[in-house]
Amino acid sequence: MASRAEPASRAEPVDTGGRRDWRDVARDAADLALLGILLTLAAAPVLTAAAAAGVASAAVHDWTRTGSWPSARSTARRFGRAVLPGVPVSLLALAVAGLLAADLAALAAGRVPGGPPALAMTALVAAGLAGYAGLVVVEVGGDGGGRWRVAARSAARACLDAPARWAALTGVVAVAGLLAVLVTPVVVPILAGYTVAALHAVAGRRPNRTGVEDGRPESAAGRRPAPAGGDPGRPESAAGRRPVSAQPELP
């Protein structure tokens, strides 16, 4: 008698009534905390911030798809390839963040005209850009962590196609920013890992036909991968089986 096959990874757990062991949850929490710490250390030189974010996103992408983290050698190789392409991205992000922060501070202090309406509009624009940046990080993670131009275009299309997802990602970044202000500074690096995971979780969900989010993984642009070996051009029934074509009755 053949023995029962073991799951290939944590992505395919043994059916235990839909519940995970507390040790799995604790291990995942520790892994994400370590990811956030490594991300913060790699981004400390500032010019490597984009490369660190992209490689961390790629690691979370692998983990959510396969249930296992990439090896240290693979991560180091990805980081080395992503450093130079990420320098302009780091400088651009730093410049935009600095300009928005200066504008918000000037509006709040009354040094420039506009008052509360201009302050609210600027804050809304900053939040929307932060949500878009979060989706760019998710997209670049799905592409290995270094192709920022392609990720930026893909994220822009995804934001226009699914404004609700864009708003949800904006909320994730806003909550993470609020927590970063409220918590002890030593916890902020840990928060970074959880934020990247939350961005992937939100970007990978879509509403089903009934309007309820079903949790099936998809790309940030809103397309689910076609089933392996299937013909995406033929319709399937609700149970997942293609309808059998009608056969003429024999005389």
Side-chain angles (χ1 to χ4, degrees):
M1 180 182 296
S3 60
R4 184 176 179 179
E6 293 294 333
S9 68
R10 280 181 289 163
E12 301 175 357
V14 176
D15 186 8
T16 58
R19 291 176 296 181
R20 302 182 65 207
D21 190 271
W22 68 268
R23 288 169 293 187
D24 294 329
V25 177
R27 181 169 58 247
D28 291 344
D31 289 343
L32 290 175
L34 178 60
L35 175 72
I37 295 171
L38 294 176
L39 166 59
T40 303
L41 292 176
V46 180
L47 293 181
T48 59
V55 172
S57 179
V60 173
H61 178 271
D62 292 348
W63 174 61
T64 55
R65 268 36 177 205
T66 66
S68 60
W69 296 95
S71 65
R73 179 178 298 178
S74 175
T75 301
R77 187 164 54 247
R78 283 175 172 173
F79 184 76
R81 290 197 303 261
V83 168
L84 288 181
V87 169
V89 180
S90 300
L91 293 175
L92 178 62
L94 182 63
V96 172
L99 288 175
L100 287 173
D103 194 12
L104 288 170
L107 287 169
R111 293 194 299 269
V112 294
L119 178 61
M121 183 60 65
T122 305
L124 185 62
V125 170
L129 287 176
Y132 167 72
L135 186 54
V136 172
V137 170
V138 173
E139 286 285 343
V140 80
D143 209 5
R147 301 181 63 184
W148 289 96
R149 185 174 299 179
V150 175
R153 289 197 297 263
S154 180
R157 288 194 300 268
C159 287
L160 295 177
D161 293 340
R165 184 183 289 108
W166 184 11
L169 290 165
T170 300
V172 170
V173 177
V175 171
L178 179 61
L179 291 176
V181 173
L182 296 178
V183 300
T184 307
V186 72
V187 183
V188 173
I190 297 176
L191 181 63
Y194 289 106
T195 301
V196 176
L199 289 171
H200 275 267
V202 172
R205 296 179 67 88
R206 64 164 293 173
N208 59 21
R209 293 181 180 177
T210 62
V212 180
E213 289 192 347
D214 56 14
R216 290 174 59 188
E218 59 165 357
S219 68
R223 298 182 299 274
R224 287 198 186 97
D231 183 2
R234 296 179 58 188
E236 294 187 353
S237 64
R241 298 183 297 271
R242 295 191 180 90
V244 180
S245 59
Q247 300 291 335
E249 295 184 358
L250 297 176

